[in-house]
Amino acid sequence: MWKAVETAPQHTKENDMRQIKITFVALLLAIATALPTMAGNEPVKDPDTLTTEYRNTQYIDTIRNLNINVDYPTVANEKLKVSVLRYEAETLANTAQMLSFSYDAKAKAYDGDSINFPAMLRFYTTLLTDRMNEADKANGTETPPSDTDLKILRSDDDIRYVTFSVSGYVYSGGAHGQSINRGVTFDKTTGERAVLVNDSEALRKLILTKLPEEVGAFLDDSLPPMPANPAFLKDGQVMLVYETGEIASNATGAITVAFWPYEIEDYLTAEGKRLTEVR
């Protein structure tokens, strides 16, 4: 009959070193196992259960050439959440409008739960798909198919403000498509869009000094208007963005003028002047 016999290990230098190594490895394994529960935290089994202030979702239809990429809020600040989601719905509706052949035809607005982002996104991806199909049908097979690419992504986030940068491209026929370049800053304390600058002749003169030379000729030596889209905050600077074709030829593309807050302090609103305090 075979029987296991336990014998005491001999205390040699080699055996002692081996025992130290085994003990050290066991200690590391014990620490690694305990890490998820240290400091009173339970292990997270499903990453989807993590609570974050913002989440990203992407809708990609490679057959239809439709790509939507959006950061949307899940924050407890209900005012901010509603304002951001309304802005994103407005941006999606305007993008659908760009695909319309009739300037009088308004894109149908989403009238469901304003804070139900998945339902709102489904509504607008369906609307965009329908508009693109209509454009392709009207254009015929000789024109390249419609293409829509839209990103609404959080670019800046500090104690007081959060900014979403919007970029994209829409093609629905013709020689060229339409680009989208803008942004919006929200005040976290009020949930409202932040108004950062006051329009003034002096500010327009400053803007003119930062415009490309060819734009000055396009403006016929007059001062530029303020951009159609409000100023927003990005990378610590106040951004003024002119969309393609707004103050120059389409070939020039979008034009961005950036100021540090101290450069235009005299033209900042009371809200805008807080930038010098927060930053």
Side-chain angles (χ1 to χ4, degrees):
M1 179 178 179
W2 183 85
K3 183 178 180 180
V5 178
E6 294 183 359
T7 59
Q10 297 182 9
H11 290 284
T12 66
K13 183 177 181 180
E14 182 179 350
N15 283 341
D16 288 346
M17 291 300 295
R18 183 180 297 112
Q19 186 63 34
I20 291 172
K21 289 180 180 179
I22 293 172
T23 303
F24 181 69
V25 171
L27 177 62
L28 288 177
L29 289 173
I31 292 173
T33 303
L35 277 176
T37 55
M38 290 176 72
N41 295 323
E42 292 297 326
V44 177
K45 297 180 180 179
D46 183 1
D48 290 339
T49 63
L50 288 170
T51 299
T52 58
E53 289 189 347
Y54 298 90
R55 291 188 179 180
N56 174 268
T57 190
Q58 198 165 4
Y59 178 91
I60 302 175
D61 185 340
T62 55
I63 297 176
R64 179 55 283 173
N65 296 329
L66 177 59
N67 182 9
I68 307 294
N69 189 350
V70 182
D71 285 340
Y72 66 98
T74 59
V75 291
N77 183 337
E78 207 64 19
K79 289 182 179 179
L80 178 63
K81 183 176 182 179
V82 170
S83 293
V84 171
L85 290 179
R86 282 179 177 169
Y87 175 79
E88 291 177 339
E90 175 186 307
T91 302
L92 287 161
N94 289 339
T95 304
Q97 185 65 34
M98 293 169 69
L99 290 159
S100 174
F101 281 86
S102 171
Y103 290 102
D104 296 328
K106 295 293 183 183
K108 182 181 177 182
Y110 172 68
D111 58 2
D113 184 351
S114 61
I115 61 172
N116 186 341
F117 177 81
M120 184 262 283
L121 183 64
R122 283 194 297 271
F123 174 86
Y124 281 113
T125 52
T126 300
L127 177 61
L128 286 163
T129 300
D130 290 344
R131 285 292 174 90
M132 293 169 75
N133 287 336
E134 291 170 6
D136 286 351
K137 185 177 180 180
N139 289 329
T141 57
E142 295 183 0
T143 302
S146 300
D147 190 337
T148 299
D149 191 323
L150 179 68
K151 295 180 178 66
I152 310 174
L153 302 176
R154 186 167 52 113
S155 56
D156 278 56
D157 196 348
D158 61 27
I159 297 172
R160 178 100 187 197
Y161 299 102
V162 59
T163 295
F164 290 82
S165 294
V166 182
S167 62
Y169 177 80
V170 174
Y171 176 77
S172 58
H176 53 77
Q178 304 174 72
S179 63
I180 304 169
N181 295 278
R182 65 189 69 146
V184 62
T185 297
F186 292 91
D187 186 328
K188 291 182 178 180
T189 60
T190 63
E192 300 298 325
R193 300 183 198 184
V195 179
L196 303 177
V197 298
N198 290 312
D199 184 9
S200 71
E201 182 177 337
L203 177 57
R204 295 188 189 200
K205 286 180 179 178
L206 276 180
I207 293 172
L208 183 61
T209 64
K210 294 203 172 193
L211 294 176
E213 289 184 9
E214 63 269 22
V215 177
F218 193 85
L219 291 171
D220 195 24
D221 296 326
S222 61
L223 291 178
M226 293 297 287
N229 294 297
F232 61 96
L233 180 66
K234 186 174 182 181
D235 298 329
Q237 294 182 287
V238 177
M239 312 296 287
L240 299 164
V241 179
Y242 294 93
E243 297 271 17
T244 300
E246 191 172 344
I247 59 170
S249 65
N250 288 331
T252 304
I255 300 169
T256 300
V257 177
F259 292 102
W260 293 105
Y262 72 84
E263 293 182 281
I264 55 171
E265 189 168 1
D266 292 341
Y267 317 113
L268 294 175
T269 63
E271 187 169 36
K273 288 180 179 179
R274 294 195 188 103
L275 297 176
T276 57
E277 302 169 7
V278 174
R279 295 279 167 174

